[in-house]
């Protein structure tokens, strides 16, 4: 392993150890800083992740104010929550409507005197699967970025001073990562300016989103070097992430007793209306990290920025930083071939009744392979197989496919390549068998030196040849092929 890789690995492991410790915070009795007097506001809480964040916060004993832009829907949601035995309050709030925000702030001041926690959850996205329309770009940017900003600006003055400090949590997305390997702004100078706290400013963020919206209007955005997936949504969340870091910097000098901690996190790909219920984790799971961030005790907040693989977040913990960006996993933290996965597959809305509903479902499934599973070589094989077969599958076939898509790498990789024997439930799955047959056939025809033996360093990846990296790749988890094309055939 090269020195750099080793250092990265060490850093990651150290971080994970820290995280394991931090995960116990704040739920142990002596860390618990909140009470029923602690007031938390959740935006867009009438459904989805926001609803679940509100439910979990109330479950921890806080007073939760559920807000909804449509008050009657909000009241219905509150009734559903009250059946759980906790007390909630509800108020109308449209994060794009200045009057609605002012009325809410006045109400809060009069009824509660202020708040301790703000969860900016309300958001919109109008694309599914591979769709990448910018028809609603302005609404997306306005709601996700400017709406979040409106709320932060309006609520900071009513955040109660306290020894435990106040907190803001922004529900963001990994699609808005500035320096992700894929789906990022192409302009390296702009990325650097947005990353560097010395050059980051509200004007810069506003200018960036305005320039995108202007290009949308001029119909030139496609050559503008913007993120390629869910472009409008990615730009909006990128702005949220950058703004979170900026506000964190501005707030960090506040005196003890008046501190406000701000974080953002990605809940993962979640089964909510936003994804057409096609995500791979439940709103309960998606809410968990947000709730954890909202309840972190201040001793855990260290002021560094972190980008975490949230699979570990959930298994061992999350992170505790004043300017944390937490990314939950897109797959994998739900146990691999558990009953959960099976019920996920069954609860996936499988409407095959019309051409349009089929198109949306297939689009979503193909998308989930290539995007959420990470573009690994095997995912390409799987993706190609699915593209060829999905259109002729019946409902049972689709269910079998969804089960396979729920399997976690690297297990799936090892099973498909015959490195390990899969559990019976997997080997009996017709989609798995078909894809495995294809992989093994191609592997058998490939040159022996292109294959890794279990426990041995892997051979070079095809892209390393393309990049001209002439060094052996080691590390048992990676399974790379020199001759990807032969596998894809
Ligand atoms: N689902 C995912 O896979 C995923 C992944 C990453 C990040 N996220 C983020 O998680 C958050 C919650 O998403 P979700 O999946 O729970 O979506 P959802 O079920 O569509 O819920 C979105 C919520 O936001 C509300 N909202 C939209 N515009 C609003 C406005 N102007 N004022 C007030 N409320 C408004 C909606 O209210 P109405 O009911 O009135 O429309 C709804 O309550 C969003 O910020 C989203 O970007 C979701």
């Amino acid at each position: 392993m090269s020195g750099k890789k080793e250092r990265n690995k060490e850093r990651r492991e150290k971080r994970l150890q820290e995280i394991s410790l931090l995960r116990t915070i704040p739920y142990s009795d002596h860390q618990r800083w909140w009470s029923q007097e602690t007031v938390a506001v959740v935006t867009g809480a009438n459904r989805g992740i926001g609803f679940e964040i509100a439910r979990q916060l109330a479950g921890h004993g806080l007073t939760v104010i559920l807000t909804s832009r449509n008050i009657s829907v909000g009241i219905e949601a509150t009734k559903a929550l009250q059946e759980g035995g906790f007390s909630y309050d509800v108020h109308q709030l449209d994060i794009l409507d200045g009057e609605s925000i002012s009325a809410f702030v006045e109400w809060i001041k009069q009824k509660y005197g202020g708040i301790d926690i703000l969860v900016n959850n309300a958001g919109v996205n109008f694309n599914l699967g591979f769709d990448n329309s910018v028809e609603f770009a302005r609404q997306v940017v306005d709601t996700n970025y400017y709406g979040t900003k409106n709320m932060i600006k309006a609520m900071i003055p009513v955040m109660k001073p306290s020894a435990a400090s106040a907190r803001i949590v922004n529900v963001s997305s990994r699609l808005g990562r500035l320096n992700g390997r894929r789906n990022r702004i192409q302009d390296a100078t702009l990325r650097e300016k947005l990353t560097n706290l010395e050059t980051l400013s509200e004007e810069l963020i506003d200018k960036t989103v305005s320039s995108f919206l202007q290009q949308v209007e001029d119909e030139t955005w496609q050559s503008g070097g913007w993120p390629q997936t869910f472009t409008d949504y990615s730009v909006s969340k990128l702005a949220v992430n950058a703004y979170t870091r900026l506000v964190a910097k501005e707030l960090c000098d506040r005196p003890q007793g008046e501190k406000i901690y701000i974080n953002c996190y990605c809940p993962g790909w979640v089964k909510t209306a936003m994804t057409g219920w096609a995500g791979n984790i439940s709103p309960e799971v998606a809410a968990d990290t947000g709730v954890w961030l909202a309840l972190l005790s201040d001793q855990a907040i260290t002021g560094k920025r972190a980008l975490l693989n949230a699979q570990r977040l959930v298994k061992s913990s999350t992170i505790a930083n004043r300017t944390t960006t937490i990314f939950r996993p897109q797959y994998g933290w739900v146990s691999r071939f558990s009953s959960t996965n099976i019920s996920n597959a069954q609860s996936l809305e499988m409407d095959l009744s019309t051409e349009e509903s089929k198109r949306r479902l297939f689009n979503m499934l193909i998308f989930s392979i290539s995007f959420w599973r990470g573009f690994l070589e095997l995912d390409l094989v799987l993706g190609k197989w699915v593209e060829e077969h999905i259109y002729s599958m019946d409902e049972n076939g689709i269910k079998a496919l969804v089960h396979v898509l729920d399997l976690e790498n690297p297990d799936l990789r090892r099973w498909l390549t015959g490195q390990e024997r899969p559990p019976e439930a997997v080997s009996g799955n017709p989609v798995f068998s078909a894809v495995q047959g294809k992989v093994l056939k191609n592997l058998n025809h490939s040159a022996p030196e292109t294959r890794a033996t279990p426990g041995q360093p892997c051979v070079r990846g095809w892209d390393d040849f393309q990049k001209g990296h002439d060094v052996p790749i080691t590390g048992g988890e990676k399974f790379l092929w020199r001759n990807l094309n032969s596998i894809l055939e």
Side-chain angles (χ1 to χ4, degrees):
M1 197 182 296
S2 74
K4 190 173 167 206
K5 274 195 181 156
E6 221 160 85
R7 279 197 302 280
N8 283 344
K9 191 172 167 224
E10 269 168 30
R11 253 204 306 273
R12 250 194 334 267
E13 277 167 8
K14 186 159 171 269
R15 197 78 194 117
L16 285 176
Q17 279 170 7
E18 288 169 15
I19 287 165
S20 311
L21 289 174
L22 291 172
R23 185 58 182 181
T24 56
I25 304 169
Y27 300 117
S28 57
D29 281 349
H30 72 286
Q31 297 284 354
R32 188 186 157 108
W33 55 268
W34 64 91
S35 67
Q36 215 182 343
E37 308 302 309
T38 309
V39 178
V41 168
V42 185
T43 67
N46 51 288
R47 68 174 195 219
I49 300 167
F51 178 86
E52 193 48 40
I53 290 177
R55 192 182 69 80
Q56 291 184 22
L57 284 172
H60 283 291
L62 290 88
T63 294
V64 176
I65 297 159
L66 182 149
T67 67
S68 169
R69 60 179 161 175
N70 180 332
I71 187 60
S72 47
V73 177
I75 290 170
E76 281 310 306
T78 312
K79 280 187 198 152
L81 287 173
Q82 279 161 344
E83 281 167 17
F86 300 107
S87 58
Y88 300 84
D89 209 339
V90 58
H91 200 275
Q92 194 278 340
L93 177 64
D94 182 335
I95 61 168
L96 286 181
D97 177 350
E99 281 180 20
S100 167
I101 296 177
S102 303
F104 178 67
V105 171
E106 274 315 303
W107 176 80
I108 282 282
K109 279 203 259 184
Q110 287 187 8
K111 188 159 181 186
Y112 292 97
I115 68 163
D116 300 278
I117 295 171
L118 168 66
V119 181
N120 283 309
N121 162 80
V124 291
N125 172 34
F126 294 93
N127 285 307
L128 286 174
F130 281 123
D131 296 342
N132 195 19
S133 155
V134 290
E135 192 185 344
F136 301 103
R138 190 161 291 278
Q139 193 182 341
V140 170
V141 169
D142 279 353
T143 308
N144 298 353
Y145 171 53
Y146 287 108
T148 298
K149 193 157 91 157
N150 291 342
M151 286 306 295
I152 291 173
K153 288 189 188 239
M155 299 311 283
I156 283 181
V158 289
M159 297 201 97
K160 290 193 271 183
S162 78
S165 308
R167 286 147 180 81
I168 301 171
V169 177
N170 297 327
V171 184
S172 189
S173 171
R174 75 199 303 269
L175 288 169
R177 272 189 299 183
L178 262 180
N179 289 309
R181 281 172 63 199
R182 296 185 180 83
N183 205 47
R184 62 182 185 181
I185 291 180
Q186 300 300 311
D187 179 347
T189 314
L190 177 56
R191 280 206 316 271
E192 167 55 24
K193 279 194 194 156
L194 287 164
T195 308
N196 186 340
L197 276 178
E198 297 301 315
T199 47
L200 179 63
S201 66
E202 190 170 338
E203 293 70 41
L204 178 67
I205 306 172
D206 287 2
K207 211 173 124 202
T208 305
V209 298
S210 306
S211 139
F212 167 66
L213 290 175
Q214 187 59 52
Q215 289 182 21
V216 168
E217 216 160 278
D218 302 341
E219 297 180 9
T220 55
W221 66 278
Q222 265 165 322
S223 54
W226 302 103
Q228 314 248 299
T229 306
F230 291 176
T231 303
D232 53 7
Y233 183 78
S234 298
V235 169
S236 73
K237 293 296 188 180
L238 182 150
V240 170
N241 294 350
Y243 189 65
T244 305
R245 297 177 64 239
L246 179 71
V247 177
K249 181 186 160 202
E250 290 169 0
L251 293 176
C252 73
D253 292 332
R254 286 170 82 103
Q256 201 60 39
E258 289 175 31
K259 286 203 178 296
I260 301 174
Y261 299 122
I262 180 164
N263 289 293
C264 61
Y265 84 108
C266 173
W269 192 35
V270 193
K271 289 176 193 295
T272 62
M274 186 173 280
T275 58
W277 288 274
N280 55 4
I281 61 171
S282 66
E284 287 88 334
V285 171
D288 168 272
T289 301
V291 170
W292 182 82
L293 280 172
L295 298 182
L296 266 181
S297 56
D298 63 348
Q299 68 156 40
I301 294 174
T302 62
K304 273 188 271 159
R305 181 174 182 273
L307 178 74
L308 277 199
N309 173 335
Q311 175 175 350
R312 288 148 184 164
L313 289 184
V314 181
K315 278 185 179 156
S316 52
S317 133
T318 36
I319 182 73
N321 283 334
R322 186 177 296 160
T323 52
T324 298
T325 307
I326 288 184
F327 295 95
R328 194 181 265 288
Q330 307 323 315
Y331 60 87
W333 93 275
V334 180
S335 69
R336 278 151 223 168
F337 205 70
S338 63
S339 54
T340 326
N341 282 347
I342 289 165
S343 66
N344 282 352
Q346 282 163 352
S347 66
L348 181 81
E349 278 211 346
M350 262 189 240
D351 180 1
L352 298 166
S353 58
T354 65
E355 284 312 306
E356 178 55 15
S357 63
K358 266 199 221 166
R359 185 193 72 80
R360 287 168 82 89
L361 175 67
F362 293 174
N363 187 1
M364 197 104 64
L365 290 173
I366 294 172
F367 170 81
S368 78
I369 301 163
S370 60
F371 184 73
W372 296 106
R373 295 189 59 89
F375 294 99
L376 298 168
E377 283 85 341
L378 253 183
D379 296 335
L380 291 174
V381 181
L382 186 60
K384 198 153 187 290
W385 185 92
V386 174
E387 271 175 0
E388 274 164 20
H389 294 87
I390 194 167
Y391 301 102
S392 55
M393 280 178 171
D394 61 11
E395 194 171 336
N396 285 335
I398 304 282
K399 279 187 181 164
L401 168 64
V402 172
H403 289 167
V404 170
L405 297 186
D406 267 352
L407 296 174
E408 186 184 346
N409 276 323
D411 286 351
L412 177 60
R413 230 163 33 222
R414 294 197 190 109
W415 296 333
L416 281 176
T417 53
Q419 288 206 316
E420 273 177 23
R421 191 198 292 263
E424 243 167 64
V426 179
S427 56
N429 179 310
V431 170
F432 175 84
S433 315
V435 179
Q436 192 197 37
K438 182 177 168 63
V439 169
L440 292 180
K441 182 168 158 268
N442 285 307
L443 275 178
N444 287 339
H445 288 114
S446 67
E449 68 273 16
T450 63
R451 303 180 53 184
T453 10
Q456 295 300 308
C458 290
V459 294
R460 294 180 196 117
W462 65 280
D463 53 343
D464 289 277
F465 277 84
Q466 285 186 345
K467 287 186 220 139
H469 295 172
D470 203 20
V471 287
I473 293 174
T474 55
E477 294 299 271
K478 280 195 175 174
F479 199 95
L480 304 168
W481 286 274
R482 190 177 290 186
N483 55 347
L484 179 75
N485 287 338
S486 78
I487 288 178
L488 284 175
E489 269 163 17

